[in-house]
Amino acid sequence: MSLPVIILGGGGHALVLIDALMQLKREIIGYTDTDSGKAPVLGVPLLGSDEKILEHDPAQVMLVNGMGSIESRALRRELHDLFRARGYRFARVIHPSAVVSPHARLEDGVQILAGAVVQPECRLGAGTIVNTGARVDHECLVGAHVHIAPGSIVTGNVRIGDGAHIGAGAVLVKEVAIGARSVVGAGAVVVEDVPEDVTVAGVPARVIRHRTVK
Ligand code: JB3
């Protein structure tokens, strides 16, 4: 029997997660948000701020991290670590239309959304998002809190470091490595390794910025 869930955040990413959880018939207690004036999301009520979670026994609920955007990537990881340290667990969310190999390994809190594909012998770290229609092909090693945005294609034997962002519609050719926290711009085609903490864009992808914000 799956435990009921609480969603952190009530924005666009949370909306998509709530829709998936409803299709999975998962009981949703509510969502938390820093904005106290938010309306219910698909009928799911706002519980209040994140402190409200502490009123629930960590053995009786699971959390779902609704922080999605590039601006809140660090916050997504911070909230995950904060609540894990307090004994809460993050549920995996796998949309019923996603295709996930039984030979893929998914850590806690991985989110695989509508129409996404994850092929065998992939490893996805804690909290990683494979967003709508994205594909992760065979034997990819993906770190924690990576966002693989809608429609992107990660081909075989690719490695992606913690906290990286793969923009919508990007293509990573086989065996490339993306450094931790780096950003691949939407529509880029990555044909060679990308270091840590940079932004790349274009076809073929080139470094356009060195990132200072982690
Ligand atoms: O690209 C796609 C398909 N989706 C994007 C997603 C991955 O990222 C989407 O288009 C957005 O760009 C983004 O969605 P996200 O992260 O839901 O962003 P936004 O719609 O701005 O909602 C963030 C919500 O989190 C807002 O309601 C904030 O008030 C709330 N928030 C901010 N800080 C917080 C906190 N909520 C909680 N519980 N705790 C916080 O510390």
Side-chain angles (χ1 to χ4, degrees), residues 120-144:
E121 301 204 357
C122 287
R123 287 177 59 180
L124 273 53
T128 277
I129 306 166
V130 183
N131 219 321
T132 312
R135 282 163 268 173
V136 182
D137 223 295
H138 61 92
E139 299 163 276
C140 289
L141 298 180
V142 181

Side-chain angles (χ1 to χ4, degrees), residues 8-9 11-13 32-34 38 50 66-69 75 131 147 150:
L8 285 85
H13 189 57
T32 60
D33 204 290
T34 45
K38 285 188 80 90
D50 294 331
M67 300 291 109
S69 73
L75 180 61
N131 219 321
H147 180 199

Side-chain angles (χ1 to χ4, degrees), residues 19 57 66 171 177 198 204:
D19 181 77
D57 180 348
V171 176
V198 298

